Amino acid sequence: MPDLKEIQEEIIAEFQMFDDWMQRYEYLIDLGKSLPLIAEEHKLDENIIKGCQSRVWLHAEGEKAAVHFRADSDAILTKGLIALLIRVFDGQPAEAISGANLYFLDEIGLKEHLSPTRANGLLSMVKQMKFYALALQAN
Amino acid sequence: MIKESVQAFPISKVRQDFPILHQEVYGKPLVYFDNAASSQKPKVVIDAISDYYNQINSNIHRGVHFLSQQATDAYEAARETIRKHLNAEKSHEIIYTKGTTDGINLVASSLGQGLIKSGDEILVSQLEHHSNIVPWQMLCERSGAVLKVIPINERGELIQAEFEKLLSAKTKLLAVNHISNAMGTINPIKEMIQKAHEYGAWVLIDGAQSVPHMAVDVQDLDADFYTFSGHKLFGPTGVGVLYGKEKLLEMMPPYQGGGEMIAEVSFEKTTYAGLPHKFEAGTPNIAGGIVLAKAIDYVNQIGLDAIGAYENELLHYGTQRLKSQFPDLRIIGEAENKASVISFLLGDIHPYDVGVILDKLGVAVRTGHHCAQPIMQHYGINGTIRASFAFYNTKSEIDQMIDALDRAHNMLA
């Protein structure tokens, strides 16, 4: 399985094909539409991360060697970004996740979506993913 | 009559007064439709800020020196400008605050020191901004008073019959907004104040959204408190106004302690200053107060009646264009009496997604619950897209928003 850095490089290469923001956003929207939804049983209030703008559901499971994430959002652009974040994190070892540097968002020009002022729940979701990985490491 | 004043509205001259409007964002001409959140500033206001710091900056009310007297005179002259603008009877009924939220908290905190007691009732409405809900909830928690809520109908108007049913001898305070920030509903506050007074209740009006759009006469309204923010009235952030009737302000204990608000201090006993200083502890936002008066002068030069008529035309044009362009568009809040705010949903597309695409196309709108979650709960939605117009906006900007919405619709639907 490719590591965190390799997956991020892959995504950066894919986004280089796009000429402008429209194409990047259209790709995000497509990704959002294709993201496997979180199972209804996991779409619980306790799994909800409330942003002021959009809401995110996150379910994590697995073990130290490989952590698995499923997530969803009520906004499609947020969901597209979740798809990218899950592609990077899903199945990775806990240690790699908790210490991850998500530089690819900056490279593909979507860093602003992870800003606290966006209040879309994404930044909290990443924190939650890292926190989960950290908890697994301590076990 | 109104038509003539609209045709005569000096829009191109007005736009020249606002430097920030003449820029591109992401290579597109900026369309600023987030005026209900904060308005832009005319050059006279921006210049007045640097004039203050370049020429007369000094602490007020205490210094005997030249600059201190200049700054004090300007600050108190500004208070008088604000008094005149609201038609308050006395200038010491004008209390400088940090903004609307601060004004409401001042009243809630002060009334909570024995003037509102356990068993008293406080009436708010479902239309309120969180800042006109939470301070009263906190007061209720502290005092044992009970919060009651005036419901709204499907058009987003307060149901007056329900309001009258909620009034009783227990009602101590009615706190409602003049105009809803989330939907633009203009409330019949003069009639509501009169009815509340029949039961001996005090009335606080949140005027944050009204002062930029209409003339307000606190004596004609007979409001006990009226509060607003400078930054929504084309002035700076961090300054606002609380108007209160002298009789009430005299009766109320101070909100914060410190310098400026005292007459004499000793460890045995401190006596408080008179109005308005009793409620103005600490060095205030001096530049803010002075410059707010410049913003008020600017608005009065154009005329609030002309502004209101022009904005009304923008509201109707925008509403018609949105409705005819997008059959799946739903307007949230269609009050008969409405300010230049359009809250809407585009099909079942999430407002956040629309807001992000519009931003990329140069159009600044607000998305989300607009700090008014009880309204969203009423309609069973999580938020809306809100376009709010000021007198420097134009019909062609509305056209640019429609084009941007069209692209967002195609991408997201």
Side-chain angles (χ1 to χ4, degrees):
Chain A
M1 168 157 201
D3 67 16
L4 270 169
K5 188 169 184 304
E6 287 163 340
I7 301 172
Q8 294 196 70
E9 290 300 329
E10 237 175 65
I11 295 173
I12 293 165
E14 280 170 27
F15 271 79
Q16 269 163 1
M17 300 183 310
F18 304 129
D19 298 328
D20 58 16
W21 71 269
M22 274 287 263
Q23 291 181 355
R24 290 205 300 271
Y25 276 56
E26 270 163 0
Y27 182 63
L28 268 189
I29 291 163
D30 286 345
L31 280 178
K33 285 176 181 163
S34 66
L35 180 72
L37 297 181
I38 197 166
E40 275 307 315
E41 74 218 55
H42 291 138
K43 215 167 170 177
L44 303 168
D45 275 358
E46 65 200 54
N47 286 338
I48 209 169
I49 297 167
K50 281 187 181 166
C52 198
Q53 295 281 347
S54 56
R55 292 182 296 172
V56 170
W57 289 266
L58 174 70
H59 173 72
E61 61 188 22
E63 54 205 333
K64 219 188 278 191
V67 192
H68 293 284
F69 297 104
R70 287 285 171 273
D72 200 354
S73 172
D74 51 357
I76 196 98
L77 284 166
T78 308
K79 213 160 147 183
L81 283 148
I82 288 175
L84 291 176
L85 289 163
I86 288 197
R87 186 167 149 200
V88 173
F89 277 157
D90 190 44
Q92 295 293 332
E95 204 183 335
I97 294 167
S98 64
N101 167 20
L102 294 170
Y103 64 92
F104 79 100
L105 285 165
D106 201 2
E107 298 273 324
I108 63 177
L110 294 171
K111 191 187 168 194
E112 77 248 28
H113 290 276
L114 221 62
S115 125
T117 56
R118 281 279 166 150
N120 55 12
L122 272 179
L123 188 64
S124 307
M125 185 190 78
V126 170
K127 275 189 193 149
Q128 203 61 42
M129 288 166 127
K130 289 187 170 187
F131 189 70
Y132 189 82
L134 210 58
L136 278 179
Q137 277 172 265
N139 283 343
Chain B
M1 225 24 208
I2 284 171
K3 194 138 192 142
E4 271 170 38
S5 71
V6 169
Q7 279 163 353
F9 194 79
I11 184 64
S12 50
K13 191 197 158 293
V14 162
R15 284 184 70 81
Q16 285 308 315
D17 293 337
F18 289 83
I20 204 170
L21 299 176
H22 308 282
Q23 64 174 306
E24 294 194 337
V25 292
Y26 312 110
K28 312 271 178 196
L30 169 69
V31 172
Y32 186 78
F33 284 166
D34 195 17
N35 295 288
S38 194
S39 63
Q40 299 303 345
K41 322 301 169 198
K43 195 160 183 307
V44 284
V45 162
I46 299 166
D47 289 347
I49 295 170
S50 61
D51 285 352
Y52 168 79
Y53 286 110
N54 279 320
Q55 293 161 18
I56 61 169
N57 173 56
S58 185
N59 211 333
I60 54 170
H61 294 146
R62 286 179 286 271
V64 293
H65 57 80
F66 181 80
L67 286 185
S68 175
Q69 293 200 8
Q70 294 261 299
T72 303
D73 288 351
Y75 193 66
E76 291 307 324
R79 197 192 301 271
E80 175 57 19
T81 301
I82 297 162
R83 181 205 67 76
K84 225 185 275 170
H85 186 66
L86 294 178
N87 192 32
E89 197 185 340
K90 294 162 181 163
S91 70
H92 61 245
E93 293 176 320
I94 303 298
I95 313 288
Y96 283 116
T97 64
K98 288 185 286 182
T100 309
T101 300
D102 192 36
I104 295 169
N105 276 280
L106 186 161
V107 175
S109 171
S110 179
L111 292 181
Q113 297 177 58
L115 291 165
I116 287 186
K117 302 186 196 73
S118 178
D120 288 345
E121 290 180 0
I122 297 172
L123 274 188
V124 296
S125 88
Q126 183 134 23
L127 281 182
E128 300 314 307
H129 188 283
H130 295 163
S131 63
N132 202 22
I133 298 173
V134 182
W136 306 117
Q137 283 176 326
M138 290 162 69
L139 170 55
C140 286
E141 269 175 36
R142 284 197 308 268
S143 65
V146 180
L147 195 72
K148 300 262 172 161
V149 184
I150 308 163
I152 53 177
N153 63 23
E154 274 316 291
R155 290 192 301 273
E157 298 162 323
L158 296 179
I159 304 173
Q160 292 300 317
E162 296 294 324
F163 162 56
E164 288 179 41
K165 275 191 226 160
L166 286 168
L167 284 168
S168 77
K170 287 186 193 166
T171 312
K172 199 77 184 175
L173 180 92
L174 165 67
V176 287
N177 58 36
H178 197 162
I179 296 180
S180 148
N181 75 304
M183 298 189 292
T185 309
I186 303 176
N187 292 313
I189 57 162
K190 189 174 173 181
E191 293 75 12
M192 293 179 75
I193 290 169
Q194 197 193 334
K195 281 172 193 154
H197 282 168
E198 284 169 20
Y199 290 85
W202 299 313
V203 184
L204 176 139
I205 302 296
D206 165 358
Q209 297 295 335
S210 43
V211 288
H213 305 293
M214 58 167 75
V216 169
D217 181 332
V218 289
Q219 291 191 78
D220 178 56
L221 292 170
D222 200 20
D224 298 294
F225 303 101
Y226 198 101
T227 182
F228 66 88
S229 303
H231 72 99
K232 290 191 190 347
L233 184 56
F234 318 101
T237 54
V239 70
V241 168
L242 170 70
Y243 158 80
K245 282 183 185 162
E246 180 187 42
K247 181 174 79 188
L248 272 165
L249 294 175
E250 289 285 12
M251 190 166 80
M252 289 160 58
Y255 169 46
Q256 292 179 323
E260 186 100 358
M261 55 76 74
I262 47 87
E264 205 168 340
V265 175
S266 75
F267 285 111
E268 288 71 40
K269 171 133 187 84
T270 290
T271 50
Y272 305 127
L275 293 173
H277 309 295
K278 181 170 88 173
F279 291 108
E280 295 181 348
T283 297
N285 184 347
I286 304 167
I290 294 169
V291 174
L292 175 56
K294 299 280 179 202
I296 289 173
D297 287 341
Y298 174 80
V299 166
N300 284 330
Q301 268 167 28
I302 299 170
L304 277 162
D305 288 346
I307 286 173
Y310 177 74
E311 288 175 343
N312 202 35
E313 188 154 315
L314 292 180
L315 171 69
H316 288 295
Y317 181 76
T319 305
Q320 284 318 311
R321 282 235 52 197
L322 283 170
K323 279 185 172 172
S324 60
Q325 186 83 18
F326 305 103
D328 59 346
L329 181 132
R330 178 182 167 204
I331 291 185
I332 306 296
E334 295 196 90
E336 222 170 282
N337 203 5
K338 202 179 148 176
S340 51
V341 172
I342 310 176
S343 239
F344 61 95
L345 288 169
L346 204 50
D348 54 5
I349 305 171
H350 197 286
Y352 176 76
D353 291 325
V354 177
V356 170
I357 303 293
L358 254 54
D359 170 55
K360 286 283 177 191
L361 295 165
V363 181
V365 292
R366 197 71 155 191
T367 59
H369 54 61
H370 318 298
C371 297
Q373 283 178 320
I375 294 179
M376 304 304 143
Q377 288 151 11
H378 173 85
Y379 289 101
I381 56 182
N382 287 317
T384 69
I385 305 150
R386 182 187 71 186
S388 52
F389 311 129
F391 61 86
Y392 42 68
N393 291 129
T394 65
K395 286 184 185 173
S396 82
E397 287 182 309
I398 291 174
D399 294 340
Q400 190 181 328
M401 175 180 75
I402 299 281
D403 291 347
L405 278 169
D406 207 34
R407 281 179 79 177
H409 195 264
N410 288 338
M411 285 172 82
L412 293 161

